[in-house]
Amino acid sequence: MKDKAKALWTAIGIASAVCLIILILRFAVFIPSMGMWFYQWQYNVNDTYAVVDMEPEHLHEVTRHMIRYMQGREPDLQIMTVIGGQPRYFFSDIEIRHMIDVYDLFAIGSVIFIAACIVFVATAAAFAIWGRGQLKYLLKSWQITSAAVFCTLLALVAIIAINWHHAFVIFHEIFFDNDYWILDHRVDLLVNIVPYPFFITISIVIGGFFAAGLVIVFAAASIVLRRFRPFLH
């Protein structure tokens, strides 16, 4: 009976840990990809205003519109702006088709995020109500899972660093079932406002936030386990 109880609370702890990892990853992705600060920073670094021949206020308006679209707060992506001193629509048809796919990815991510939130709260409630004496299984699950994911992240970073372009292509082939993501920088403005350096930097920032979150979870679980060990039997 004791072994069954241990297995049960360990399983609940692992479910909590997995959901916590998903929540951390969600925020790690959301902070730069939905943050105007990140786009403005990259536009300055990559001299994007000159590349697309737009005034900062016009490109910022387009970017805010694009962010709201990815968040589901705009009904469509297209927006009229001023480029090279002339009014025109910013996005081409192929860019719109690609961004519809991007929106779908974020929408799926939102569903996963909500499900993870529900499960995380449910597992927390289970430990709070029925498993107060089993908290060590929750903390150990957080500790082990965060460490395992952190090691996996390091291995993934090493693999991607070997050939960024190949990793970039594989990512798009996995998450997109068409070639709308293959844009021409001579024609399509989207690929000029988010060029290769943009994606390299955002990957580093997302990885940094994610790694920081994993380290915090591991450290917190380890500290509590060590300091309160006598009370966690």
Side-chain angles (χ1 to χ4, degrees):
M1 191 69 179
K2 185 177 180 180
D3 289 340
K4 289 183 178 179
K6 177 182 178 180
L8 173 62
W9 288 111
T10 298
I12 296 174
I14 292 174
S16 174
V18 170
C19 290
L20 181 57
I21 299 303
I22 292 173
L23 301 185
I24 294 171
L25 179 58
R26 161 74 174 191
F27 285 115
V29 172
F30 192 90
I31 291 171
S33 63
M34 300 298 178
M36 192 63 197
W37 65 271
F38 182 80
Y39 291 88
Q40 289 178 306
W41 170 38
Q42 286 302 290
Y43 292 162
N44 285 313
V45 170
N46 299 321
D47 198 23
T48 305
Y49 305 110
V51 172
V52 296
D53 195 14
M54 294 180 68
E55 294 296 325
E57 60 268 26
H58 294 143
L59 183 53
H60 294 171
E61 181 185 14
V62 169
T63 305
R64 292 189 185 94
H65 183 88
M66 181 175 69
I67 291 173
R68 290 196 300 269
Y69 173 78
M70 290 189 293
Q71 294 173 339
R73 296 163 53 201
E74 290 287 350
D76 60 73
L77 179 66
Q78 193 57 278
I79 180 174
M80 177 68 73
T81 187
V82 178
I83 301 173
Q86 300 297 320
R88 56 157 283 187
Y89 286 111
F90 187 88
F91 296 100
S92 65
D93 289 342
I94 191 172
E95 289 171 319
I96 291 174
R97 291 178 180 178
H98 175 55
M99 289 303 296
I100 289 174
D101 293 335
V102 172
Y103 167 82
D104 289 340
L105 281 182
F106 277 107
I108 292 171
S110 294
V111 172
I112 295 173
F113 172 74
I114 292 171
C117 285
I118 293 172
V119 175
F120 183 75
V121 171
T123 55
F127 274 99
I129 298 171
W130 300 291
R132 293 181 183 179
Q134 313 297 331
L135 287 177
K136 63 181 178 181
Y137 298 120
L138 176 65
L139 294 169
K140 286 182 179 179
S141 296
W142 286 8
Q143 184 186 52
I144 294 171
T145 304
S146 60
V149 174
F150 184 83
C151 291
T152 303
L153 178 63
L154 290 180
L156 185 61
V157 168
I159 293 172
I160 293 174
I162 293 174
N163 191 330
W164 160 259
H165 175 75
H166 187 57
F168 183 80
V169 171
I170 289 177
F171 171 86
H172 282 78
E173 289 178 343
I174 290 174
F175 289 101
F176 301 103
D177 60 0
N178 53 59
D179 61 359
Y180 295 144
W181 60 273
I182 302 176
L183 303 174
D184 186 345
H185 70 91
R186 295 167 299 181
V187 178
D188 303 305
L189 293 173
L190 179 61
V191 73
N192 285 299
I193 66 174
V194 289
Y196 256 23
F198 176 96
F199 283 106
I200 292 174
T201 304
I202 199 171
S203 298
I204 294 172
V205 171
I206 290 172
F209 279 124
F210 189 40
L214 295 173
V215 169
I216 290 172
V217 170
F218 178 83
S222 300
I223 291 172
V224 175
L225 278 171
R226 184 172 64 252
R227 292 190 176 180
F228 297 94
R229 187 177 297 277
F231 306 100
L232 296 174
H233 291 303

